[in-house]
Amino acid sequence: MELILDFLSRFLVQFQSPALAFLVGGMLLAAFRSKLEIPDAIYQFCVFMLLMRIGLEGGLEIRDAELADMLLPAIIAVVVGCAIVLVGSLVLSRLPGVKTDDAIATSGLFGAVSASTLAAAMVMLEEQAVTFEAWVPALYPFMDIPALIVAIVLANLYLARKKEGAKAKTRIWPIITSSLRGSALSALLLGLALGLFTRPEIVYEGFYDPLFRGLLSVLMLTMGMEAYTRLNELRKVAHWYAVYATFAPLVHGLIAFGLGYVAHVLTGFSPGGVILLAVMAGSSSDISGPPTLRAAIPSANPSAYIGSSTSVGTPVAIAVGIPLYVALAQAVFGL
Amino acid sequence: MELILDFLSRFLVQFQSPALAFLVGGMLLAAFRSKLEIPDAIYQFCVFMLLMRIGLEGGLEIRDAELADMLLPAIIAVVVGCAIVLVGSLVLSRLPGVKTDDAIATSGLFGAVSASTLAAAMVMLEEQAVTFEAWVPALYPFMDIPALIVAIVLANLYLARKKEGAKAKTRIWPIITSSLRGSALSALLLGLALGLFTRPEIVYEGFYDPLFRGLLSVLMLTMGMEAYTRLNELRKVAHWYAVYATFAPLVHGLIAFGLGYVAHVLTGFSPGGVILLAVMAGSSSDISGPPTLRAAIPSANPSAYIGSSTSVGTPVAIAVGIPLYVALAQAVFGL
Amino acid sequence: MELILDFLSRFLVQFQSPALAFLVGGMLLAAFRSKLEIPDAIYQFCVFMLLMRIGLEGGLEIRDAELADMLLPAIIAVVVGCAIVLVGSLVLSRLPGVKTDDAIATSGLFGAVSASTLAAAMVMLEEQAVTFEAWVPALYPFMDIPALIVAIVLANLYLARKKEGAKAKTRIWPIITSSLRGSALSALLLGLALGLFTRPEIVYEGFYDPLFRGLLSVLMLTMGMEAYTRLNELRKVAHWYAVYATFAPLVHGLIAFGLGYVAHVLTGFSPGGVILLAVMAGSSSDISGPPTLRAAIPSANPSAYIGSSTSVGTPVAIAVGIPLYVALAQAVFGL
Amino acid sequence: MTFKAAKVVIITEKVILEQVAQIIEAMGATGYTVFAAGGKGSRGVRAAGRAAVVDGFSNVQIEVITATHDTAEKIAVEVADRFFQNYSGITYLEDVEILRSHKF
Amino acid sequence: MTFKAAKVVIITEKVILEQVAQIIEAMGATGYTVFAAGGKGSRGVRAAGRAAVVDGFSNVQIEVITATHDTAEKIAVEVADRFFQNYSGITYLEDVEILRSHKF
Amino acid sequence: MTFKAAKVVIITEKVILEQVAQIIEAMGATGYTVFAAGGKGSRGVRAAGRAAVVDGFSNVQIEVITATHDTAEKIAVEVADRFFQNYSGITYLEDVEILRSHKF
Ligand SMILES: Nc1ncnc2c1ncn2[C@@H]1O[C@H](COP(=O)(O)O)[C@@H](O)[C@H]1O
Ligand SMILES: Nc1ncnc2c1ncn2[C@@H]1O[C@H](COP(=O)(O)O)[C@@H](O)[C@H]1O
Ligand SMILES: Nc1ncnc2c1ncn2[C@@H]1O[C@H](COP(=O)(O)O)[C@@H](O)[C@H]1O
Ligand code: NA
Ligand code: NA
Ligand code: NA
């Protein structure tokens, strides 16, 4: 009982964190139909800065890391990413009113990773002084790309079967390159490479890192506004999407938390790392995922998958998921 | 005599303050027809950052403030805002070549408040180490909204009388909500709420506050360029607008200074607070006011009110008004 | 032999400097057809901030400088700027497949100065703790404007002779004012004026200076992407442009280095100043130069001069030129 | 095979975009497209893109495809009547051809 | 003297701009012009300029001048057939006049 | 009731926008509207919105409504003659209908 109360109080405290507060603030602004707009150029720049910061730090840290330590978490990332899509597609497509290709695209988006959710978690861990291996955020593509690939392959198999005869083979390589070329992964990987091979410490410490938290608050505000605005997309599709979008992030996060815990026991993976793994699994892609899926699974209805992800999935992943995993870690690892 | 000289020298020193310097610089650039442009996205972001910073600080400080202390200054703000519009409309509309609805819209804009003028004053007070209650900038809406409401109601009464029969009732509530929804007040109020109810100290201190002065300099530059560019709007309308725009800011500021002095004597309102009250009264709205009036008083000529406010009113309010009130306060309160 | 090895190792170390690293990173991104885009508004803002920073510092420092010290370097700047265009036009226009007006425009661009290349050099000198007179970057217009004027006058003479009869006199004054009005020189000169005549220390130290390096990294990334993207412009024109664009920056830089060395011997011009003079000479204008030339020499093919400058000239000037002059200075001046 | 249809173009101040859109929808159009625009007319120059301290005064161009010339004209007349005395703006019509597959 | 030519206008999602451009070029058009656009249609509202967390879903308007009405129609039909079942978008044609000096 | 009028459309480099505007005004047009545009033509691709290190080379589309077809054609011919040898660009005309209330 005390444990639960303790858990709840820890949970609530985190709601005052700037990342969450700005997210909720953005939703309120949109709900009150405020005319405040964050210009698109600013939003894109915030995203770039965040991914560059995550990439640079990852690159700088991987230099000194034992590559072997990364192996198990990386495998978990790949497995979780694929599993979310496979299981999600199966479950969702059985639900009444849900088209199979929409189900696949939606679970693809939930299997992929949101850089801004990840950044919010990193900032909140810092606030709580929970440490993690600095290369953990660099596991992002290990979960993101496989999830998108599985979704696109599944959708193609499904569509091919529907049309019979037309057995258009799905080529995996173009999906990978198109993911890597997306603005989010490009920025992250460029940051990683610069961190690994050059000496960017001076701009990292004087620019990318100090602006990180502030720009994240602007980003969260924007995402809150967008989440509310896109809610009516969700009204156009079956109610089951809202149900899936509410629970899937937490289920995914908890599964990844469990597997992360195994890695903790086996290889000493840090509690902070376990939390971030859960956050990645619980997040759903907001920047690169949607256009990738839109181009690769044209028949899927974007109102279904973007509505689910942006309006419900992401707010739940950030506002419920992150505090949940942190509180859980505090209980489990006695932080 | 010595007093006057002393006053003048204090006055001139403040002209080297970055806020004023960038404002004048912007006017010079436009005068020399420079091709330098500050992109709109950057300008909007600067405005957002400034209002967020003012709001956050206000919210953080109101927590510990005696609400009772705010009462008298808030009442003064409301009274001054309304009085400026009522008296201004009466005076202006009597002048030759001035249409009544243009007069009402113009004095409405001069009754409302400019966030950037306010920010410039805050920065200049800091430079002079003049302190003020941190909640004073949060009085902004108490002067801004009533002024706009009075102007819109006046204009509607006037137009209804002109058309006779058509006694379209003016509803006050839509005017208030439309003001609150405007980008400026939205950002300010969101900041206030976040400051009051959450823990944004870390982004306030690491992002919004340190960038405040620098972004203000960019804003002042932009406003200087716009002021010069819009001067020719003013050439299209009666000369009386130029006269009004030159003197009204100072008259308004001095009246508010006087009332603020009363509050100082009665309730210990700080000298810095008195100055800021004068600055708000002397300023004329540049962001939210114009579109609000344009939509609500369509028959008023925007060349008249925007020309007056942006090209003459704002530069006078910043470059003459702020130094004037500071020098006056130094003389009156012996700072 | 040891000298050469030493030189080479110094040379290579500088490749890890963030400025170079981001430039190369941008080229790689474009080569891999990444979808990452830096919004135009952000790019323009970076340019503004950089030039403002350079101008402000120059202005703040010129106050205390001996104007006489500036004389010789300023004369060298003018002479080098003009000589590059005169000699370059002569040489280039003799090459097969090169039209005379294209040759003039191209050498005009290489005679003019790139603010971002200059900024990259300033940052790299700081990293190496090489000092220079703070007014040196303010010599920029002394080389930039004369080079553009010479190019435009030459082109007009050439075109007038071609058409005979039509002896349209070229007026110099409009070329100067149009250069000064361009966004780059406007920002620089405004910064200079503000630094000289007002007290902008507080925004310089709290905003323009600390953001300098970081924004430069964003700028270098953008320039890298643009350099690669514009390579195919170069494929449309004679190969000699690529040859010129590869060698001219280094030749120009070395000539200026030599003349700077003379100034060092005669008047004690600092080694850092000599390097920056070489960098300016070696750089080719990327912001203001192209539109100025496009408007003033309409018949010249922009694929020729922009292709040469942006795709080859600038990367060579930054990635080979700067390290070269630094390494040379270390050898010559024993830094 | 294509079919005749009409297009009405409205260039006016951004500040009344929402109100114009309401008229368009009330007249039964199936949609509209909006562009940011600068321009010069009888009431002065309007820039786009450049920082505008005074927001809402840049131009928008609104284009509506309608099935009949009549609807297009009605929209044009209504917008002009309601707004162009107080707000700056112009409107005009064009003939267009649409594909059979589309309904407007 | 001017000559008759045709214009095809396509308004659709930014995410397929490249694919549409390929069709246009494959049909032999000499070029095309692209505008950022917002709008409202059967598939909801699309903003432009405002921060879009989900990129690629704002509208683009693509205009192509072709020498013959036939080419214009072919482009319109091909784009509509290939994309408008899955992507939101409309297309229409207009008559235009070009100067002799230009070849399209 | 509507009246016949003409529209001239000019797509060219931003760098000469001011000069083109001067021609338009000199020909007696009452105004013009300007859009930022990207595009592809005989002289390569031009992006819009994306950071352009080399400014001034993106496209603008300028549209002018004129009372008579003749004025429109004159503007088109003059712009083409003066600029399109050295600058990239195209121009074309369209028929439009204007409302009686407007004077162009
Ligand atoms: N003759 C014209 N051709 C094209 N656009 C025009 C014309 N006249 C006006 N406009 C556009 O309509 C806007 C408002 O016009 P006005 O109300 O005359 O100031 C201008 O800013 C232009 O964008
Ligand atoms: N009747 C119309 N007139 C003008 N533009 C339209 C119309 N219908 C649709 N559009 C444009 O085409 C886009 C896609 O339309 P839809 O596929 O119907 O959602 C919309 O966002 C509008 O920009
Ligand atoms: N056939 C065409 N249809 C539409 N726009 C075109 C066409 N050809 C050229 N353009 C536009 O005109 C600009 C300049 O064309 P050009 O001078 O051929 O490079 C291009 O960037 C396009 O925006
Ligand atoms: Na996920
Ligand atoms: Na006021
Ligand atoms: Na040079």
Side-chain angles (χ1 to χ4, degrees):
Chain A
M1 189 58 217
E2 204 185 324
L3 209 83
I4 292 182
L5 278 182
D6 187 49
F7 178 92
L8 276 180
S9 82
R10 285 165 188 280
F11 184 89
L12 282 177
V13 160
Q14 300 178 53
F15 249 81
Q16 299 197 311
S17 155
L20 293 201
F22 276 84
L23 180 79
V24 175
M27 295 173 77
L28 290 176
L29 278 188
F32 286 122
R33 286 194 283 138
S34 154
K35 295 224 169 91
L36 181 70
E37 288 184 359
I38 303 295
D40 199 38
I42 299 299
Y43 171 76
Q44 282 182 42
F45 183 62
C46 290
V47 170
F48 165 78
M49 291 287 293
L50 251 64
L51 286 157
M52 206 61 184
R53 148 73 171 71
I54 296 178
L56 282 173
E57 196 191 20
L60 287 168
E61 299 290 335
I62 287 178
R63 283 190 198 170
D64 314 316
E66 292 286 327
L67 280 189
D69 292 347
M70 295 180 62
L71 192 66
L72 186 55
I75 293 176
I76 295 177
V78 174
V79 168
V80 168
C82 297
I84 288 174
V85 186
L86 289 169
V87 179
S89 304
L90 267 181
V91 173
L92 250 180
S93 62
R94 301 275 139 103
L95 298 175
V98 174
K99 275 182 16 188
T100 302
D101 33 3
D102 294 358
I104 296 171
T106 305
S107 53
L109 219 49
F110 278 77
V113 178
S114 158
S116 27
T117 306
L118 179 59
M122 290 166 66
V123 159
M124 286 172 69
L125 288 189
E126 213 184 288
E127 281 166 25
Q128 316 262 331
V130 179
T131 58
F132 51 87
E133 296 84 355
W135 44 259
V136 178
L139 295 179
Y140 170 169
F142 288 85
M143 192 182 293
D144 193 63
I145 299 181
L148 292 174
I149 291 177
V150 171
I152 296 170
V153 171
L154 273 188
N156 278 301
L157 290 178
Y158 164 75
L159 294 171
R161 207 178 323 143
K162 231 176 60 173
K163 282 205 215 163
E164 272 188 297
K167 283 184 208 158
K169 256 206 229 151
T170 319
R171 300 235 211 77
I172 307 255
W173 187 238
I175 310 178
I176 297 180
T177 52
S178 121
S179 283
L180 293 174
R181 271 179 200 142
S183 53
L185 279 181
S186 293
L188 183 81
L189 294 176
L190 177 66
L192 265 177
L194 290 174
L196 263 176
F197 302 121
T198 73
R199 302 239 147 265
E201 285 85 350
I202 207 163
V203 290
Y204 173 76
E205 280 155 25
F207 186 68
Y208 293 97
D209 188 47
L211 290 177
F212 186 56
R213 284 165 171 284
L215 292 176
L216 180 68
S217 73
V218 178
L219 208 64
M220 287 289 127
L221 187 71
T222 316
M223 293 180 67
M225 295 197 276
E226 181 106 347
Y228 188 89
T229 311
R230 285 196 175 269
L231 259 184
N232 58 358
E233 304 266 311
L234 212 49
R235 281 193 207 108
K236 295 187 208 156
V237 295
H239 293 318
W240 285 111
Y241 286 103
V243 176
Y244 175 80
T246 309
F247 294 105
L250 305 177
V251 173
H252 300 161
L254 291 174
I255 291 171
F257 194 100
L259 292 172
Y261 183 79
V262 173
H264 171 76
V265 171
L266 293 180
T267 68
F269 190 41
S270 71
V274 174
I275 296 174
L276 287 187
L277 208 59
V279 168
M280 283 190 228
S283 76
S284 51
S285 175
D286 40 24
I287 300 160
S288 301
T292 304
L293 291 175
R294 187 82 183 103
I297 317 182
S299 62
N301 179 0
S303 289
Y305 57 87
I306 297 178
S308 307
S309 157
T310 308
S311 292
V312 180
T314 295
V316 168
I318 297 176
V320 185
I322 303 179
L324 178 69
Y325 317 137
V326 173
L328 200 67
Q330 288 170 331
V332 171
F333 301 104
L335 296 179
Chain B
M1 188 58 216
E2 202 184 326
L3 211 83
I4 293 183
L5 279 181
D6 187 49
F7 178 93
L8 276 180
S9 81
R10 284 165 188 278
F11 184 89
L12 284 176
V13 159
Q14 300 178 54
F15 248 82
Q16 299 196 313
S17 154
L20 292 200
F22 276 84
L23 181 79
V24 175
M27 296 173 76
L28 290 177
L29 279 189
F32 284 122
R33 285 195 284 138
S34 154
K35 295 225 169 89
L36 182 69
E37 288 183 1
I38 303 294
D40 198 38
I42 300 298
Y43 172 76
Q44 282 183 40
F45 183 62
C46 291
V47 170
F48 165 78
M49 292 287 294
L50 250 63
L51 286 157
M52 205 61 183
R53 149 71 171 71
I54 295 179
L56 283 174
E57 197 192 19
L60 288 168
E61 299 290 336
I62 287 179
R63 283 192 200 169
D64 314 316
E66 292 286 327
L67 280 189
D69 291 348
M70 295 181 61
L71 191 66
L72 186 55
I75 292 175
I76 295 178
V78 174
V79 169
V80 168
C82 297
I84 288 174
V85 185
L86 288 169
V87 178
S89 304
L90 267 181
V91 173
L92 250 180
S93 62
R94 301 273 141 106
L95 298 175
V98 174
K99 275 182 15 189
T100 302
D101 34 2
D102 294 358
I104 295 172
T106 306
S107 53
L109 219 49
F110 278 77
V113 178
S114 157
S116 27
T117 306
L118 179 59
M122 289 167 66
V123 159
M124 286 172 69
L125 288 189
E126 213 184 289
E127 280 166 25
Q128 316 263 332
V130 179
T131 58
F132 51 87
E133 296 84 353
W135 45 258
V136 178
L139 295 180
Y140 169 168
F142 288 85
M143 193 182 292
D144 192 63
I145 298 181
L148 292 174
I149 291 177
V150 171
I152 295 170
V153 171
L154 273 188
N156 277 302
L157 290 178
Y158 165 76
L159 294 172
R161 206 178 325 145
K162 231 176 57 171
K163 282 205 217 164
E164 274 189 292
K167 283 183 207 158
K169 256 205 229 149
T170 320
R171 300 237 212 74
I172 308 254
W173 187 236
I175 310 177
I176 296 180
T177 53
S178 121
S179 283
L180 293 174
R181 272 180 199 140
S183 54
L185 279 181
S186 293
L188 184 80
L189 293 175
L190 177 65
L192 265 176
L194 291 174
L196 262 175
F197 302 121
T198 73
R199 302 240 147 264
E201 285 85 350
I202 208 163
V203 290
Y204 173 76
E205 280 154 26
F207 185 68
Y208 292 97
D209 188 48
L211 291 176
F212 186 57
R213 284 166 171 285
L215 292 176
L216 181 68
S217 73
V218 178
L219 208 64
M220 288 288 126
L221 187 70
T222 316
M223 293 181 66
M225 295 197 276
E226 180 107 345
Y228 188 90
T229 311
R230 286 195 175 269
L231 259 184
N232 58 358
E233 304 266 312
L234 211 50
R235 281 193 207 108
K236 295 187 209 157
V237 295
H239 293 318
W240 286 111
Y241 287 102
V243 176
Y244 175 81
T246 310
F247 295 105
L250 305 177
V251 173
H252 299 162
L254 291 174
I255 290 173
F257 193 100
L259 291 172
Y261 183 79
V262 173
H264 171 75
V265 171
L266 292 181
T267 67
F269 190 41
S270 72
V274 174
I275 296 175
L276 288 187
L277 208 59
V279 168
M280 284 190 228
S283 77
S284 50
S285 175
D286 39 23
I287 300 160
S288 299
T292 303
L293 291 176
R294 187 82 182 105
I297 317 181
S299 62
N301 180 358
S303 289
Y305 57 87
I306 297 177
S308 307
S309 157
T310 309
S311 292
V312 180
T314 294
V316 168
I318 298 176
V320 185
I322 303 179
L324 178 68
Y325 315 137
V326 173
L328 200 66
Q330 289 170 330
V332 171
F333 301 103
L335 296 179
Chain C
M1 187 60 218
E2 203 185 326
L3 210 82
I4 292 183
L5 278 181
D6 187 50
F7 178 92
L8 275 180
S9 81
R10 285 165 187 279
F11 184 88
L12 283 177
V13 160
Q14 301 178 52
F15 249 81
Q16 299 197 313
S17 154
L20 293 200
F22 276 83
L23 181 79
V24 175
M27 296 172 76
L28 290 177
L29 279 189
F32 286 122
R33 287 196 281 139
S34 154
K35 295 224 169 91
L36 182 70
E37 287 184 359
I38 302 295
D40 199 37
I42 299 298
Y43 172 76
Q44 282 182 42
F45 183 63
C46 290
V47 170
F48 165 78
M49 291 286 294
L50 251 63
L51 285 157
M52 205 63 182
R53 149 70 171 72
I54 295 178
L56 283 174
E57 197 192 21
L60 287 168
E61 300 290 336
I62 287 178
R63 283 191 200 170
D64 314 316
E66 292 287 328
L67 280 188
D69 292 348
M70 294 180 63
L71 192 66
L72 187 54
I75 293 175
I76 295 177
V78 174
V79 169
V80 169
C82 298
I84 288 173
V85 186
L86 289 169
V87 179
S89 304
L90 268 182
V91 173
L92 250 180
S93 61
R94 301 274 139 104
L95 298 175
V98 174
K99 274 181 16 188
T100 302
D101 33 3
D102 294 358
I104 296 171
T106 306
S107 53
L109 219 49
F110 279 77
V113 177
S114 157
S116 28
T117 306
L118 179 58
M122 290 167 64
V123 159
M124 286 172 70
L125 287 189
E126 211 183 292
E127 280 165 26
Q128 317 262 332
V130 180
T131 58
F132 51 87
E133 296 84 353
W135 46 258
V136 178
L139 295 179
Y140 169 168
F142 288 85
M143 193 181 293
D144 191 63
I145 298 180
L148 292 174
I149 292 177
V150 171
I152 295 170
V153 170
L154 274 189
N156 277 302
L157 290 179
Y158 163 76
L159 293 172
R161 206 178 323 143
K162 231 176 59 172
K163 282 205 215 162
E164 272 188 296
K167 282 185 210 157
K169 257 205 230 150
T170 319
R171 301 237 211 73
I172 307 254
W173 187 238
I175 310 177
I176 297 180
T177 53
S178 122
S179 282
L180 293 174
R181 272 180 199 140
S183 53
L185 279 181
S186 293
L188 184 81
L189 293 176
L190 177 65
L192 265 175
L194 290 173
L196 262 175
F197 302 121
T198 73
R199 303 240 147 265
E201 286 85 351
I202 207 162
V203 289
Y204 173 76
E205 280 155 26
F207 186 68
Y208 293 96
D209 188 47
L211 291 177
F212 186 56
R213 286 165 170 284
L215 292 175
L216 180 68
S217 73
V218 179
L219 208 65
M220 287 289 126
L221 187 71
T222 316
M223 294 180 66
M225 295 197 277
E226 181 107 346
Y228 188 90
T229 310
R230 286 196 175 270
L231 259 184
N232 58 358
E233 304 267 310
L234 212 50
R235 282 194 205 107
K236 296 186 207 155
V237 294
H239 293 318
W240 284 112
Y241 287 103
V243 176
Y244 175 80
T246 309
F247 295 104
L250 305 176
V251 173
H252 300 162
L254 291 174
I255 291 172
F257 194 100
L259 291 173
Y261 183 79
V262 173
H264 171 75
V265 172
L266 292 182
T267 68
F269 190 43
S270 70
V274 174
I275 296 175
L276 288 187
L277 208 59
V279 168
M280 283 190 229
S283 77
S284 50
S285 175
D286 39 24
I287 300 160
S288 300
T292 303
L293 291 175
R294 187 82 182 103
I297 318 180
S299 62
N301 179 359
S303 290
Y305 57 87
I306 297 178
S308 307
S309 158
T310 308
S311 292
V312 179
T314 294
V316 167
I318 298 176
V320 185
I322 304 178
L324 177 69
Y325 316 137
V326 173
L328 200 66
Q330 287 171 330
V332 171
F333 300 103
L335 295 180
Chain D
M1 264 296 293
T2 59
F3 291 78
K4 293 233 160 295
K7 171 161 100 167
V8 50
V9 179
I10 300 155
I11 307 167
T12 191
E13 300 177 28
K14 190 177 151 193
V15 83
I16 54 166
L17 171 56
E18 267 179 48
Q19 285 165 275
V20 172
Q22 274 162 18
I23 294 182
I24 292 168
E25 298 191 51
M27 297 286 178
T30 58
Y32 53 86
T33 301
V34 184
F35 307 88
K40 185 164 177 180
S42 57
R43 278 168 272 199
V45 181
R46 301 173 173 279
R50 195 164 61 75
V53 174
V54 183
D55 187 41
F57 290 82
S58 57
N59 279 334
V60 286
Q61 172 155 329
I62 307 156
E63 300 188 356
V64 193
I65 307 296
T66 56
T68 64
H69 186 278
D70 194 51
T71 312
E73 196 173 331
K74 265 191 199 145
I75 293 175
V77 169
E78 175 75 12
V79 167
D81 282 0
R82 271 266 292 277
F83 294 112
F84 291 170
Q85 207 157 350
N86 290 323
Y87 295 93
S88 77
I90 64 166
T91 180
Y92 59 86
L93 310 179
E94 294 186 10
D95 293 328
V96 305
E97 290 165 59
I98 55 175
L99 301 183
R100 193 223 304 264
S101 48
H102 270 301
K103 292 160 215 99
F104 284 93
Chain E
M1 264 296 291
T2 58
F3 292 78
K4 294 232 159 297
K7 171 161 99 167
V8 50
V9 178
I10 301 155
I11 307 166
T12 192
E13 301 177 26
K14 191 177 152 194
V15 82
I16 54 166
L17 171 56
E18 266 179 50
Q19 286 165 274
V20 172
Q22 273 162 18
I23 293 183
I24 292 169
E25 297 191 51
M27 296 286 179
T30 58
Y32 54 84
T33 301
V34 184
F35 307 88
K40 183 163 177 181
S42 56
R43 278 166 273 198
V45 181
R46 300 171 175 280
R50 195 163 63 75
V53 173
V54 182
D55 187 41
F57 290 81
S58 58
N59 279 335
V60 286
Q61 172 154 329
I62 307 155
E63 300 188 355
V64 193
I65 308 295
T66 56
T68 64
H69 186 278
D70 196 51
T71 312
E73 195 174 333
K74 265 191 200 144
I75 293 176
V77 169
E78 174 76 12
V79 168
D81 282 0
R82 270 267 294 276
F83 295 113
F84 291 171
Q85 207 157 351
N86 290 323
Y87 295 94
S88 77
I90 64 165
T91 179
Y92 59 86
L93 310 179
E94 295 186 10
D95 292 328
V96 304
E97 289 166 59
I98 55 175
L99 302 183
R100 192 222 306 264
S101 47
H102 270 301
K103 291 160 215 100
F104 285 94
Chain F
M1 265 295 292
T2 59
F3 291 78
K4 295 231 160 296
K7 173 161 96 167
V8 50
V9 179
I10 300 155
I11 307 166
T12 190
E13 300 177 26
K14 191 176 151 194
V15 83
I16 55 167
L17 171 56
E18 267 178 49
Q19 286 164 275
V20 172
Q22 273 162 19
I23 294 183
I24 292 169
E25 298 191 49
M27 296 286 178
T30 58
Y32 53 86
T33 302
V34 184
F35 307 88
K40 185 165 177 179
S42 57
R43 278 166 271 198
V45 181
R46 300 175 172 278
R50 196 163 60 76
V53 174
V54 182
D55 188 41
F57 289 81
S58 57
N59 278 336
V60 284
Q61 171 155 330
I62 307 155
E63 299 189 356
V64 193
I65 307 295
T66 56
T68 63
H69 187 277
D70 196 51
T71 313
E73 196 173 331
K74 265 191 201 144
I75 292 175
V77 169
E78 175 75 12
V79 168
D81 281 1
R82 270 266 293 278
F83 295 113
F84 291 171
Q85 209 156 348
N86 290 323
Y87 296 94
S88 77
I90 65 166
T91 179
Y92 60 86
L93 311 179
E94 295 187 9
D95 293 328
V96 304
E97 290 165 58
I98 55 175
L99 301 184
R100 192 222 304 264
S101 47
H102 270 301
K103 292 161 214 98
F104 283 93

